[in-house]
Every structure is written in structure tokens, then in C-alpha cells.
């Protein structure tokens, strides 16, 4: 393992020499940094290492947002970092980082990495022929570390001791202009790591930044490179976008950049049909509100929203071919989930929840007898009901139906009994036929249309 340990913080040839920007020009005070992050930088410095708060935290503070987490970069190797903190652990392989535990919080500490395009090829730096970086544990200087980051606003290093930002690529000025600009040659940087294209869309949406024209230009041509990215990494990135609190802008940005083809091919159909677009708008808007209010928002729920129309259309097609409603529903759910897995593969553990949310929808239409009471006790009632509310707001289900369920949940016994609707003709017959062994889903599915 070659370690290019550089004792001096300055050095390296890839980034420009950083400019130290004083407090008066950036306004970030030490007190705005998380106490755990301050403790980690202080300890590293006391042990003779350089240490900065980096990445999203500095960027977010600079534009007046609350950072999600505080990451630290240092010239200490992962092993040296681990020795400075009793409660710490080295994790990762592609990028080794150290988790330092501080109370209930975890601070990520990364060692400065050498810039890309180094001639040395060894087990610590593995690059595919076309430039895709497969593993990257070659350590370098602070300037080199800055040069290998993606956007200028993500390459800012805050020194809490002196309350200075070290900026080698004009990130502070870009943040003020609300501009997302790739460091280096954008096309080469996307080829090294195509996920940076998704990150461009995500940050533009999340920060409400404009993408610099030169940074934006190669994306349309290079979007197919995303096919080479492992499914799990793509999925993680999409979840970051969907649960960022800016999913709606993010989804539109993805499509505007032509990045959705290999990931969410259904977006075209959703965004081109006004009725479906309204539903998607309501679903994403609702998710963004939840995230911003610190309420739970689940990936399974969002996937259920994104695939709902495909599932519904398949279901109706199968019924038109003569399949009974319930069997057609289950076949349609499997079919649509499998199809989607060919593009954006999401973990199978979400399937159960997605199917439950979908298969509860027809059951909300049944408002007579014991069925509504049974539905209330279903473990996924809440998710199914939230989904119904979105459908109603999006014009895909009667608002009256959603209101009925809102009332029925909170009503007392007498009111509930009053609210029940008379059994429809045929329902009694169906019920009689059902008096055999109990099925897991006990209600027949009717058409939603
Ligand atoms: P967020 O607030 O969404 O977490 P972030 O900027 O902290 O935003 P992370 O994905 O947490 O984003 O990454 C932390 C930092 O690591 C980034 O700011 C960037 O400097 C660097 N980075 C992450 N992913 C890449 C990448 N694919 N290519 C280059 N640099 C990257
Ligand atoms: Mg981060």
C-alpha cells in the first residue's frame, strides 16, 4: 500500500493554492459548528494533524441553511485517526473513512485523497480503462483533496480554530452567485464517476442553484453512463434526491437533464399526462412537506406513488382479459415491480409494503358490513389511507371517499354504524361464498376506475 503522506498541508499540484477567506467575508462562526465536529478537529490538531470541516456543512452554512451533518477532512491516515479517538472505527473499502462516535452522534472523518489521474496504479487506486474509478485510497494533500471533490461549493474547508474557509476553486464566490460548477473538466469528471450527474441534478434542486452551462452541457450525452453504476449506489442516490425535502424540484430537474431514462422511465408518462402529473405533484409535494416537518417519509411509499398508474393500467388490462379482479391485482403488482427492477433496482424488502399500500386501495371502496372495521385494524392502514388522501387530492379517487375515511376513523361507535353503507347487490352472495377458510386478503377487489 503506497501512502503518499504529506506532512505539510500545502503541496500537491492539482488544485490551485487555497485562499484563506476570513470570517468577515464568509460569516461562519465557530459556534455554528456542531460541538462534536469541533471536538474532533481540536483533538486532531492537538495530535499534530490538520483538520477541517468540509463538504455540505460549510456550503449549507454559507447559504444560510442548517447542515445535515458535519464531515471532517484531515491529513491523518484512517489508522492514525482511529488512534486519536477511543470510540472510533474504520469503515468502507472503496473509500475508507473513520467513524468517530460522540455521544449519540457520529462524525465522519476522511483522509485527504490524492487527485485523480495519478500515474501510480496499485491496489489503492483502481481505475477502469474508460476512466471510471473503482477504488480510491491514495492519500494526498489538502489541495489535492479539494481538486477531487465534485462541485466548487462542495470543496470548501472550514478551519474552526481560525474561523477561516480555505477555498481553492472559487466555491465561496459561486455559493454567493448560487452557481453549481464542476471542478476541472466536467466531461472527464462525469466519466470518472457518472453519479456526479445525478448529484448535479440533486444539488441544483436542493440548493435552488443554477447549473453552470459548461457543467450542464455534457450531461445529456453522458447520461447513458449511469447504466454502469451498481444498482445499490443508484438507489441510494435516488433516495437522497427523493427524501431531500426537494423531491419535486429534483424529479423535474432529473427529467430536464435527461437523466431519468435508465432510472425512472415512467416519469415521461407521468409528467406528460396532466392528470397523472397532478397526482405526482401532490405525492411529491406531500413528501417534501413531511421531510421538512421532520415527519417520516418512506421510500416504499414513494415507489408506490411512482408506479401506481403503471400498476393500475396493468391490473385493468389483465381483468379485461378475463382474470378475476383479485388474481389480476396480484399479478399486476408482481409484473410492474419486476419491470421496474430492470431499471432502478430497489431492494426487495420494500415489495411487501408497496403491495400492501396498493392492495388496500380497492378495499377503501367497501363501506358496508364489517369490512371497514377490519380495514381499520390492518397494520398498514395508515400508509394505505395516506395514499388514498394523495389519490383524492390528485384527482385519482373521489374526495368524498377520502373524507368518509377521515371521519370514520375518529367517529364513535354510533356514528360509525350510521356511516356504513348498505351492502351492494351481489356482496352478500360473495360473502356467503367466502365462508370457508379465511384468506389473507379477505376482500374482493373491485375496479378503481
Ligand atoms: P448533503 O448535504 O446532501 O449530504 P454533501 O455535499 O455533504 O451534501 P455527500 O454526499 O455527503 O454530499 O458528500 C460529502 C462531500 O464529499 C461532498 O460535499 C463532496 O465534496 C464529496 N463527494 C461526495 N461524492 C462525491 C463524488 N461522487 N465525486 C466527488 N466528490 C464527492
Ligand atoms: Mg453530507
Amino acid at each position: 500500500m503506497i501512502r503518499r503522506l504529506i506532512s505539510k498541508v500545502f503541496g500537491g499540484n492539482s488544485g490551485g493554492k487555497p485562499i484563506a477567506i476570513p470570517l468577515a467575508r464568509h460569516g461562519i462562526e465557530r459556534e455554528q459548528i456542531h460541538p462534536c465536529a469541533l471536538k474532533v478537529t481540536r483533538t486532531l490538531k492537538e495530535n499534530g494533524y490538520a483538520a477541517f470541516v468540509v463538504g455540505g456543512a460549510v456550503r449549507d452554512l454559507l447559504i444560510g441553511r442548517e447542515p445535515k451533518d458535519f464531515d471532517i477532512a484531515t491529513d491523518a491516515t484512517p489508522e492514525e485517526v482511529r488512534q486519536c479517538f477511543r470510540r472510533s472505527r474504520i469503515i468502507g473499502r472503496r473509500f475508507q473513512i473513520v467513524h468517530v462516535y460522540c455521544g449519540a452522534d457520529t462524525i465522519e472523518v476522511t483522509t485527504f485523497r490524492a487527485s485523480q489521474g495519478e500515474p501510480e496504479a496499485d491496489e489503492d487506486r483502481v481505475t477502469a480503462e474508460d476512466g471510471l474509478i473503482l477504488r480510491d485510497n491514495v492519500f494526498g494533500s489538502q489541495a489535492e483533496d479539494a481538486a477531487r471533490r465534485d462541485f466548487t461549493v462542495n470543496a470548501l474547508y472550514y478551519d474552526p480554530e481560525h474561523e477561516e474557509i480555505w477555498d481553492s476553486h472559487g466555491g465561496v464566490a459561486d455559493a454567493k452567485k448560487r452557481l453549481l460548477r464542476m471542478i476541472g473538466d466536467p466531461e472527464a469528471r462525469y466519466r470518472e464517476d457518472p453519479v456526479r450527474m445525478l448529484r448535479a441534478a440533486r444539488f441544483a434542486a436542493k440548493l435552488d442553484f443554477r447549473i453552470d452551462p459548461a457543467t450542464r452541457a455534457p450531461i445529456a450525452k453522458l447520461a447513458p453512463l449511469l447504466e454502469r453504476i451498481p444498482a445499490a449506489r443508484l438507489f441510494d442516490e435516488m433516495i437522497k434526491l427523493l427524501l431531500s425535502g426537494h423531491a419535486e424540484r429534483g424529479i423535474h430537474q432529473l427529467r430536464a437533464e435527461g437523466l431519468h431514462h435508465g432510472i425512472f422511465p415512467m416519469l415521461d408518462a407521468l409528467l406528460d399526462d396532466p392528470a397523472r402529473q397532478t397526482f405526482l405533484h401532490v405525492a411529491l409535494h406531500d413528501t417534501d412537506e413531511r421531510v421538512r416537518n421532520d415527519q417520516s417519509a418512506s421510500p416504499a411509499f414513494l415507489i408506490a406513488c411512482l408506479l401506481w398508474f403503471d400498476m393500475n393500467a396493468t391490473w385493468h388490462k389483465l381483468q379485461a382479459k378475463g382474470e378475476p379482479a383479485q388474481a389480476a391485482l396480484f399479478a399486476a403488482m408482481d409484473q410492474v415491480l419486476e419491470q421496474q427492477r430492470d431499471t432502478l433496482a430497489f431492494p426487495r424488502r420494500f415489495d411487501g409494503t408497496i403491495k400492501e399500500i396498493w392492495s388496500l386501495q380497492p378495499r377503501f371502496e367497501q363501506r358496508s358490513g364489517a369490512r371497514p372495521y377490519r380495514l381499520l385494524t390492518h397494520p398498514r392502514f395508515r400508509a394505505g389511507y395516506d395514499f388514498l388522501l394523495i389519490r383524492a387530492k390528485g384527482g385519482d379517487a373521489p374526495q368524498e371517499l377520502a373524507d368518509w375515511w377521515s371521519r370514520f376513523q375518529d367517529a364513535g361507535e354510533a356514528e360509525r354504524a350510521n356511516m356504513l353503507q348498505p351492502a351492494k347487490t351481489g356482496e352478500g352472495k360473495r360473502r356467503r361464498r367466502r365462508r370457508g377458510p379465511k384468506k389473507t386478503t379477505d376482500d374482493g377487489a373491485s375496479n378503481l376506475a
Side-chain angles (χ1 to χ4, degrees):
M1 185 160 131
I2 295 175
R3 283 186 183 176
R4 301 179 62 252
L5 285 177
I6 297 176
S7 52
K8 274 182 279 155
V9 171
F10 285 99
N13 44 20
S14 324
K17 194 173 165 172
I19 296 167
I21 299 185
L23 174 64
R25 277 190 52 214
H26 61 71
I28 303 176
E29 292 175 359
R30 193 178 301 123
E31 290 68 35
Q32 291 173 266
I33 306 296
H34 192 287
C36 288
L38 284 181
K39 206 170 120 197
V40 172
T41 50
R42 204 183 325 115
T43 306
L44 284 167
K45 283 198 160 185
E46 281 165 7
N47 282 278
Y49 302 110
F52 298 88
V53 177
V54 286
V58 188
R59 175 199 69 214
D60 289 351
L61 286 171
L62 205 51
I63 59 171
R65 286 177 183 240
E66 200 186 324
K68 219 174 55 188
D69 38 39
F70 288 83
D71 298 329
I72 307 295
T74 177
D75 62 352
T77 63
E79 192 48 49
E80 286 166 341
V81 174
R82 217 191 49 74
Q83 279 163 13
C84 291
F85 301 95
R86 212 166 38 83
R87 293 181 63 216
S88 65
R89 201 153 75 96
I90 298 180
I91 60 154
R93 198 176 131 77
R94 186 176 181 269
F95 294 109
Q96 269 193 349
I97 58 177
V98 185
H99 276 177
V100 177
Y101 305 104
C102 167
D105 292 296
T106 302
I107 299 289
E108 275 189 8
V109 182
T110 50
T111 302
F112 295 148
R113 286 189 168 79
S115 54
Q116 278 135 21
E118 292 282 313
E120 306 146 78
D122 63 289
E123 62 175 28
D124 295 322
R125 159 67 56 74
V126 183
T127 310
E129 262 179 45
D130 60 2
L132 186 80
I133 293 172
L134 304 174
R135 193 162 68 238
D136 182 13
N137 275 324
V138 183
F139 304 129
S141 67
Q142 185 274 335
E144 286 177 300
D145 189 72
R148 59 156 280 281
R149 291 182 181 264
D150 45 10
F151 304 101
T152 60
V153 290
N154 284 351
L156 298 171
Y157 294 67
Y158 181 76
D159 168 4
E161 190 186 352
H162 301 103
E163 295 181 309
E164 279 172 355
I165 292 179
W166 288 24
D167 179 6
S168 333
H169 299 278
V172 170
D174 284 346
K176 292 213 166 110
K177 286 185 262 175
R178 305 191 81 83
L179 188 68
L180 197 66
R181 194 159 56 87
M182 181 66 83
I183 296 170
D185 172 46
E187 177 160 347
R189 303 299 313 279
Y190 293 135
R191 285 192 186 279
E192 280 168 5
D193 182 6
V195 169
R196 289 173 185 150
M197 294 187 277
L198 292 178
R199 291 173 59 86
R202 173 161 73 87
F203 288 125
K206 171 178 156 150
L207 307 170
D208 200 9
F209 273 26
R210 195 164 52 84
I211 306 180
D212 174 62
T215 297
R216 186 168 185 229
I219 295 181
K221 182 180 86 182
L222 301 180
L225 293 180
L226 287 172
E227 281 167 28
R228 292 200 48 194
I229 301 300
R233 189 159 177 237
L234 271 190
F235 182 75
D236 283 353
E237 194 56 39
M238 287 317 303
I239 290 303
K240 279 193 191 173
L241 182 140
L242 290 172
L243 301 183
S244 65
H246 304 275
E248 188 165 25
R249 241 183 358 226
I251 284 283
H252 283 273
Q253 188 85 45
L254 266 191
R255 189 177 185 226
E257 306 306 333
L259 287 166
H260 63 298
H261 293 295
I263 303 171
F264 289 136
M266 83 297 269
L267 267 193
D268 284 326
L270 282 172
L271 293 175
D272 288 340
D273 174 331
R276 294 179 178 202
Q277 195 184 18
T278 309
F279 172 84
L280 188 69
H281 161 74
V282 174
L284 294 175
H285 188 75
D286 182 78
T287 305
D288 288 343
E289 291 272 287
R290 295 179 79 94
V291 173
R292 288 179 208 180
N293 295 330
D294 285 331
Q295 289 171 278
S296 69
S298 91
F301 190 90
L302 269 167
I303 298 167
C305 291
L306 286 163
L307 298 177
W308 169 244
F309 288 99
D310 284 354
M311 196 292 288
N312 222 352
T314 310
W315 182 27
H316 284 101
K317 239 183 263 163
L318 293 176
Q319 285 184 89
K321 280 191 198 157
E323 281 221 40
Q326 188 77 351
L329 174 64
F330 280 85
M333 293 196 295
D334 284 335
Q335 212 171 304
V336 167
L337 289 174
E338 275 319 306
Q339 256 166 25
Q340 173 59 33
R341 235 182 286 281
D342 291 341
T343 50
L344 177 72
F346 49 87
R348 279 181 198 276
R349 67 190 148 89
F350 292 136
D351 284 16
T353 312
I354 297 171
K355 286 183 185 177
E356 278 179 320
I357 291 171
W358 284 342
S359 61
L360 285 177
Q361 298 310 304
R363 293 178 60 182
F364 282 108
E365 290 176 23
Q366 298 162 350
R367 291 183 270 174
S368 59
R371 287 170 171 177
Y373 294 96
R374 276 207 298 271
L375 196 50
L376 281 181
T377 63
H378 192 286
R380 291 268 176 237
F381 172 82
R382 187 74 217 180
Y385 165 73
D386 284 344
F387 197 85
L388 175 69
L389 292 187
I390 286 173
R391 287 179 54 221
K393 260 204 244 169
D396 181 60
Q399 186 61 49
E400 173 273 323
L401 181 66
D403 293 343
W404 189 92
W405 279 100
S406 305
R407 236 181 92 203
F408 189 72
Q409 279 175 76
D410 297 331
E413 264 321 302
E415 192 186 350
R416 279 186 180 171
N418 263 335
M419 287 177 74
L420 290 179
Q421 295 183 346
K424 286 193 194 115
T425 356
E427 271 193 20
K429 228 164 78 193
R430 215 186 306 159
R431 213 169 25 236
R432 264 199 305 282
R433 249 194 278 131
R434 284 268 167 81
R435 280 221 184 102
K438 202 168 183 298
K439 288 187 189 168
T440 30
T441 29
D442 55 355
D443 290 295
S446 65
N447 269 344
L448 288 172

